[in-house]
Amino acid sequence: MADHTYSISEIVGTSTEGVDAAVRNGIAAASKTLRNLDWFEVKEVRGHISDGGVADWQVTIKIGFRLER
Amino acid sequence: MADHTYSISEIVGTSTEGVDAAVRNGIAAASKTLRNLDWFEVKEVRGHISDGGVADWQVTIKIGFRLER
Amino acid sequence: MADHTYSISEIVGTSTEGVDAAVRNGIAAASKTLRNLDWFEVKEVRGHISDGGVADWQVTIKIGFRLER
Amino acid sequence: MADHTYSISEIVGTSTEGVDAAVRNGIAAASKTLRNLDWFEVKEVRGHISDGGVADWQVTIKIGFRLER
Amino acid sequence: MADHTYSISEIVGTSTEGVDAAVRNGIAAASKTLRNLDWFEVKEVRGHISDGGVADWQVTIKIGFRLER
Amino acid sequence: MADHTYSISEIVGTSTEGVDAAVRNGIAAASKTLRNLDWFEVKEVRGHISDGGVADWQVTIKIGFRLER
Amino acid sequence: MADHTYSISEIVGTSTEGVDAAVRNGIAAASKTLRNLDWFEVKEVRGHISDGGVADWQVTIKIGFRLER
Amino acid sequence: MADHTYSISEIVGTSTEGVDAAVRNGIAAASKTLRNLDWFEVKEVRGHISDGGVADWQVTIKIGFRLER
Amino acid sequence: MADHTYSISEIVGTSTEGVDAAVRNGIAAASKTLRNLDWFEVKEVRGHISDGGVADWQVTIKIGFRLER
Amino acid sequence: MADHTYSISEIVGTSTEGVDAAVRNGIAAASKTLRNLDWFEVKEVRGHISDGGVADWQVTIKIGFRLER
Amino acid sequence: MADHTYSISEIVGTSTEGVDAAVRNGIAAASKTLRNLDWFEVKEVRGHISDGGVADWQVTIKIGFRLER
Amino acid sequence: MADHTYSISEIVGTSTEGVDAAVRNGIAAASKTLRNLDWFEVKEVRGHISDGGVADWQVTIKIGFRLER
């Protein structure tokens, strides 16, 4: 059986809803241009504040995808 | 245009609901005493356990706010 | 008053719903075999991707529990 | 029950005696101006050397205290 | 000569006296249930504050012990 | 001789010139409200990009200052 | 489909041959007492020196295994 | 308002002048092939030495840019 | 002499043999699509376990390559 | 006024008494061969265990000393 | 071709001018006693504050130099 | 029994073969000038790439050796 290789891309997904939605948005956007997405890791959670509340959530994720031969 | 300066405050927001709510609670509490809140970063997620479930969520965030001149 | 000792166990809770649910599932599973669970800390958030979406959330947590004498 | 919020302050306590005394001195000093001190975490231990011995111990601690509403 | 294997356990020792005593208490407690304890590493020093002083010291240590065959 | 205590404040200095100027600006701004500033440590260097160049430099520093008794 | 839970155990495998062999030895030893071993992560590579050469390799790994229900 | 997504690229800018120039060179080079560059973060500063002086500065930066839809 | 710029790509090479082979496989795969590969850094070593042994080695590496002008 | 340069040496002090004594022992030993010792930083606290107690404390410190011209 | 070995020395260069000059000063001082200096890495940037401004910059660097055989 | 002191030296061993050989080469080189070598820790694994393959492995290790009195 052949040895696979994976590439890792770093993406910031955003959302006004929360952490989970920001991750989902980032993965959905990445899946438009990358194929064979396999896993993700959350690296950082940040966001903007306005009017005493969270204006947006910015979640940095690393996405691993299998390279085709 | 003048150079801005920001100060960073470290806050622990808590909630019985989850991570997002704990962040929102911490920012809402900070906005009562600090002005010009601009961004936040999540540094740590912890909590207490009781009766085999999550009793509360404690999310440590750093909050950046613009200093006035 | 006597000095307590705690032990820390590392668990990966999973869920198809999101970060909060994965933490709750991990704690619920740990509470079946460990007693006196006291606190948790989130160490890592990862997951699998399939069909351009999150297939599951895997949240690594450390769980502290009091040792009985 | 209401959700509490905590603030975290970073302090460097010093002592000529050792690590424990430097932590105690830092907390004693902080308690003069902050109320509801709840917990501390040691972040760094440093010090000056003179005449081939420790001249002082400088222990950086984070101190968490509950914000009043 | 055979290759040994070690297991690492994470423990929080506590004390009202200081860092050294908390480490000693954690190791003493661990030695009641684990055999062949070999080394420890301090990972974190925390504690509670009450009345402007240290109420207890909580020292997280990793303890390595040799597995028997 | 008495034991001193220091407090640490986290500041983001900014500049359109470069890293050194952003640090100097942050310290100058902090010195308007804090007394007995003693040392600084650079924690993070970031900035905005516009028109293919650096629009501003944002340098996060920790500033230590001696507490008066 | 049900949500799985995993536990993580920290092990130090040793060998006189090299890094790979120390990992394999640690996993072989762990598999004698743990079931459903699923993945490992290398956390630290150390060793003893004697007579100007490597006397043994000590590789700390985390091993994840699925908890049975 | 729609949720934006950002991608992060890691670049090493170099210069014989200093840290600031190396960052500027890296961003200038990246702006030739990437659009919508938004922010940067400095991750590492290294360089070569020759004849007892700095031969070049190598500054690793992460560059965030907005993905177009 | 002109200032060079480098880009850094993150790759996971895999192998059933060991750490070295996984690194070599990742670099060989990356060299099929990237030019001017210059250096690598190992960031993480993981793998799957099956039947009490290592099923595969997954080594995450960063690869630096010179950008052409 | 001229610019000073400092060198940093890494030392492991040991003691059967505790953390403070191990630091003092390491500094005392270093002062026998190095001059102008100026400051220290604690990097790691470890030790051996025997008979269910701490056999020795091993404290890794960095020691800074001013280079003479 | 023979395998080279390098040694790494940790130095704190200082300057009243800025980060770049402190690095250059540290390397110039190290080159007086060490030969075959090859590369440097910046590990920490600190400094003293006086009169609301930067009194000196202290930049900790690691310097790699080739060992002669 | 007297308290021992250890010094830690940082070395980069290189090899065209792999990680293990680079560590062995570094330790062999260090043993020519240092006495009482006791242990090592791997801190970083890097290398150069040429012709789509690994040109050399560079492994940074810390080496601990006992100081004689």
Side-chain angles (χ1 to χ4, degrees), chain K residues 1-10 39 41 62 67 69, chain L residues 9-16 25-26 29 32 44 60 62:
Chain K
M1 200 201 76
D3 297 316
H4 291 299
T5 309
Y6 300 83
S7 184
I8 294 178
S9 215
E10 199 166 1
W39 84 92
E41 309 165 40
K62 292 207 173 182
L67 293 178
R69 277 166 295 190
Chain L
S9 216
E10 199 166 0
I11 292 284
V12 183
T14 66
S15 166
T16 55
N25 287 349
K32 288 180 186 159
E44 196 176 58
T60 305
K62 292 206 174 183

Side-chain angles (χ1 to χ4, degrees), chain J residues 25-49:
Chain J
N25 286 349
I27 290 170
S31 69
K32 287 180 188 159
T33 55
L34 299 173
R35 289 203 293 180
N36 305 318
L37 299 190
D38 196 16
W39 84 91
F40 69 95
E41 310 164 39
V42 174
K43 305 307 285 183
E44 197 177 59
V45 176
R46 302 167 66 100
H48 286 109
I49 302 173

Side-chain angles (χ1 to χ4, degrees), chain F residues 6 22 35 39 45-46 49 57 67:
Chain F
Y6 300 84
R35 290 203 292 180
W39 83 90
V45 176
R46 302 169 64 102
I49 301 173
W57 300 78
L67 294 179

Side-chain angles (χ1 to χ4, degrees), chain B residues 3-28:
Chain B
D3 297 317
H4 292 299
T5 308
Y6 300 83
S7 185
I8 294 177
S9 215
E10 199 166 0
I11 292 284
V12 183
T14 66
S15 167
T16 56
E17 286 176 53
V19 172
D20 293 0
V23 172
R24 291 186 202 277
N25 286 350
I27 290 171

